[in-house]
Amino acid sequence: MSRDLLKSYRFREERQADWQKLDLILTRAENGGVKRLSDEEMLALPRLYRQAVSSLSVARSISLDQNVISYLESLCTRAYFFVYGARTTIGERIMVFLRKDWPASVRAATLPTLLSALFFFGGWALAFFLCVQDMDWFWTFHGQNFFDGRNPDATVEYLRSTIYTDGYGEGELSAFSSTLFNNNAQIALFTFALGFAFGIPTAWLLVYNGVMIGSLYAVFWDKGLGYEFTGWLAIHGVTEIFAIILAGAAGFIIGGAVAFPGNRTRLASARAAGQQAATIAMGCVVMLIAAAILEGFGRQLINSDGTRYLIAAATGVLWTAYFYLPRRERQE
């Protein structure tokens, strides 16, 4: 046996037990999370990591077997993330997001949320009152042949038939729900993503969508179907419109950071605001999924006005409590 091979053999033999122990601890942590580790293993992990790093340094300096060096590099890299990186699994991270990060970001964005709601409902109110005064405004907003006949020329019976439905199969409802989610997600995504342009496109999109709904609402109101249409819209609209308003708030956060960067560059200011805005926008996806389910299934299967109002009120109370009720902070 040559001198180098003997040196490599002894180096490995003297330290291999610690490397294997570290490898075993890391494998258990990777498969089940750090909570699977005992107190002794948690205490041993940083010590074994430092020993492995020291062994790697020595191995590189005396040019030992390349396989040993590669093994130690891999072992140290794996150990680094558990010693210095985030000690949570994906499931734990999702729970932290839902329990803490998302509602905290929404609560911290009260003013942008109010501003977003002002633009949306401002457009809604403007279109509604204009159309109620003169229904020709509806055609100005929508053009001809819009909303599948739901326009000022439609009869009361036809408009009523669009509020109460039946005969949908499960497959049709699933496809309908998916289509609605895609459409609403695009609106929310653009409302958030275009905020970087000083929030101007965000404001325009909010007003535009408010105008679309407000003018349609005026058509049903003018035909004496305001109560029925409100229930039809609210069963999913409370969640959906809330999500769009929050997406708009996220857009205004980015737009405000770009427009008023303070002592930072505009890019640095946008990057600093991006985490809060992105957290809110990601949460909006959860709300839009819930809205699509309510719209695709609940609204199509439930024809009782009272039940629709009850579900709408429940969703409003739940979202408000979830976001704005004070809660005790837990130690993570």
Side-chain angles (χ1 to χ4, degrees), residues 1-11 62-64:
M1 181 178 294
S2 69
R3 183 178 178 181
D4 289 343
L5 286 176
L6 180 59
K7 184 169 59 176
S8 178
Y9 174 79
R10 288 178 176 173
F11 175 85
I62 61 178
S63 300
L64 288 172

Side-chain angles (χ1 to χ4, degrees), residues 1-309:
M1 181 178 294
S2 69
R3 183 178 178 181
D4 289 343
L5 286 176
L6 180 59
K7 184 169 59 176
S8 178
Y9 174 79
R10 288 178 176 173
F11 175 85
R12 184 168 185 164
E13 186 180 44
E14 291 170 357
R15 296 166 175 82
Q16 192 169 23
D18 287 339
W19 301 346
Q20 291 175 340
K21 188 174 182 180
L22 177 60
D23 197 344
L24 180 62
I25 292 175
L26 293 175
T27 301
R28 291 190 61 188
E30 289 166 348
N31 291 334
V34 292
K35 290 183 177 179
R36 295 283 302 276
L37 302 182
S38 64
D39 292 341
E40 291 76 13
E41 290 172 329
M42 289 293 292
L43 291 173
L45 182 58
R47 176 179 58 80
L48 294 171
Y49 168 68
R50 289 193 295 270
Q51 289 178 350
V53 171
S54 175
S55 298
L56 176 61
S57 177
V58 174
R60 284 172 171 167
S61 65
I62 61 178
S63 300
L64 288 172
D65 184 356
Q66 184 59 42
N67 291 331
V68 173
I69 295 176
S70 299
Y71 170 74
L72 288 173
E73 287 177 341
S74 173
L75 188 65
C76 291
T77 301
R78 292 167 58 201
Y80 174 85
F81 288 106
F82 282 97
V83 174
Y84 297 108
R87 297 181 177 85
T88 57
T89 64
I90 293 178
E92 291 170 338
R93 191 66 191 91
I94 291 174
M95 291 308 298
V96 170
F97 172 81
L98 294 175
R99 188 176 63 244
K100 179 182 176 183
D101 294 350
W102 182 25
S105 296
V106 171
R107 283 197 300 275
T110 300
L111 288 179
T113 301
L114 291 176
L115 182 63
S116 180
L118 179 64
F119 278 107
F120 182 86
F121 288 110
W124 180 320
L126 176 66
F128 175 78
F129 286 112
L130 286 175
C131 290
V132 167
Q133 295 295 323
D134 182 357
M135 206 51 79
D136 285 344
W137 279 102
F138 180 89
W139 304 111
T140 302
F141 295 137
H142 296 283
Q144 301 292 327
N145 302 321
F146 200 77
F147 272 121
D148 191 25
R150 288 176 288 181
N151 56 52
D153 294 336
T155 63
V156 175
E157 289 72 22
Y158 174 75
L159 292 177
R160 187 187 299 276
S161 71
T162 64
I163 296 175
Y164 305 104
T165 58
D166 55 17
Y168 280 89
E170 184 177 349
E172 292 175 288
L173 290 175
S174 299
F176 186 44
S177 179
S178 176
T179 302
L180 295 172
F181 171 76
N182 290 332
N183 178 66
N184 297 332
Q186 288 179 7
I187 295 173
L189 177 64
F190 281 121
T191 305
F192 161 65
L194 295 178
F196 74 92
F198 306 103
I200 296 173
T202 296
W204 184 86
L205 279 172
L206 289 167
V207 172
Y208 174 80
N209 283 282
V211 165
M212 292 296 106
I213 298 177
S215 54
L216 181 64
Y217 192 79
V219 171
F220 284 83
W221 180 275
D222 188 61
K223 302 289 184 178
L225 296 171
Y227 174 78
E228 294 85 348
F229 183 75
T230 301
W232 177 86
L233 180 64
I235 187 172
H236 76 283
V238 171
T239 300
E240 179 183 291
I241 293 172
F242 202 165
I244 292 174
I245 287 174
L246 289 180
F252 283 134
I253 291 173
I254 296 291
V258 174
F260 308 103
N263 296 325
R264 300 173 176 171
T265 64
R266 296 190 190 281
L267 183 59
S269 179
R271 187 183 301 118
Q275 183 174 359
Q276 181 192 6
T279 300
I280 295 174
M282 285 190 294
C284 291
V285 176
V286 177
M287 297 181 73
L288 290 173
I289 292 173
I293 293 173
L294 287 171
E295 187 172 8
F297 290 87
R299 193 180 69 182
Q300 306 304 320
L301 298 175
I302 299 172
N303 285 321
S304 165
D305 293 328
T307 305
R308 288 176 173 176
Y309 274 95

